[in-house]
Amino acid sequence: DAKTTQPPSMDCAEGRAANLPCNHSTISGNEYVYWYRQIHSQGPQYIIHGLKNNETNEMASLIITEDRKSSTLILPHATLRDTAVYYCIVTPYSGAGSYQLTFGKGTKLSVIP
Amino acid sequence: DTAVSQTPKYLVTQMGNDKSIKCEQNLGHDTMYWYKQDSKKFLKIMFSYNNKELIINETVPNRFSPKSPDKAHLNLHINSLELGDSAVYFCASSQAEGTPLHFGNGTRLTVT
């Protein structure tokens, strides 16, 4: 079972920031927060991950609360191509090849023109 | 310049048949995976291989047999196909533990 809770759907106006929340209140100290997205008819795509500190890359920013019980993925300027299902996943490192991602239902983000 | 490629993209077959799905990655990754996405869109891991060795084997019927001839390939063979096997199967790879997974675009299997 997924250890995260996400809203089932969100809308965002094109060009605006999309803020996708995720609750992971039972996260353990050795568990990372990963974000992936799945555009229709494609395989999941890695976006970003973090442990404690906020992270930023060319795709997005990840803000993790100090108690690590929730996080927010920020797409700074959403485009129509960002319409997808976004998955927040927590998982520990546990040995070569043995770490696994458990995908929940995710949040369907619709970017509106 | 595809990183993780699966063939075929679509597979329609009848119950009882045996079929294979092939997966190849050109990223030089050590670990490869098979995931299944069911009709409710849940993605679940089936297998993972690290350097051709089976690491994870989730509760999957033994009709499913992964085969890794080398680090770059992880094929999935399914015997005696059942209606419930209909799903989208995704292959993925990663360089090492904890590093991002790169997924293929999936194989949609339909069993009639």
Side-chain angles (χ1 to χ4, degrees), chain B residues 13-33:
Chain B
T13 188
Q14 292 184 325
M15 285 174 56
N17 285 348
D18 302 338
K19 290 293 178 186
S20 292
I21 306 172
K22 295 185 177 181
C23 178
E24 175 182 6
Q25 53 97 2
N26 62 5
L27 298 166
H29 288 169
D30 289 336
T31 307
M32 296 186 72
Y33 310 79

Side-chain angles (χ1 to χ4, degrees), chain A residues 34 36 38 40-46 49 87 92-105, chain B residues 9 31 33 35 37 41-43 45 48 50 55-56 58 90 94 96-101 103-106:
Chain A
Y34 285 81
Y36 281 75
Q38 188 173 21
H40 182 62
S41 296
Q42 296 182 21
Q45 176 190 24
Y46 165 80
H49 75 285
Y87 298 98
Y93 289 175
S94 54
S98 63
Y99 98 105
Q100 55 181 286
L101 303 177
T102 302
F103 288 78
K105 295 183 180 180
Chain B
K9 187 172 175 62
T31 307
Y33 310 79
Y35 277 78
Q37 188 167 39
K41 302 296 184 184
F42 283 112
L43 261 166
I45 191 168
S48 81
N50 182 258
I55 303 297
I56 293 175
E58 287 297 301
F90 289 97
S94 66
E97 176 197 2
T99 59
L101 266 62
F103 283 83
N105 280 330

Side-chain angles (χ1 to χ4, degrees), chain B residues 14-19 63-64 77-83 85 111:
Chain B
Q14 292 184 325
M15 285 174 56
N17 285 348
D18 302 338
K19 290 293 178 186
R63 298 181 294 104
F64 290 78
H77 189 76
I78 315 170
N79 290 327
S80 304
L81 278 155
E82 300 177 358
L83 293 177
D85 298 332
V111 182

Side-chain angles (χ1 to χ4, degrees), chain A residues 64-81:
Chain A
I64 302 174
T65 58
E66 195 168 339
D67 64 7
R68 301 187 69 234
K69 292 185 177 182
S70 66
S71 60
T72 301
L73 179 74
I74 301 172
L75 307 178
H77 306 286
T79 71
L80 299 179
R81 286 176 295 181

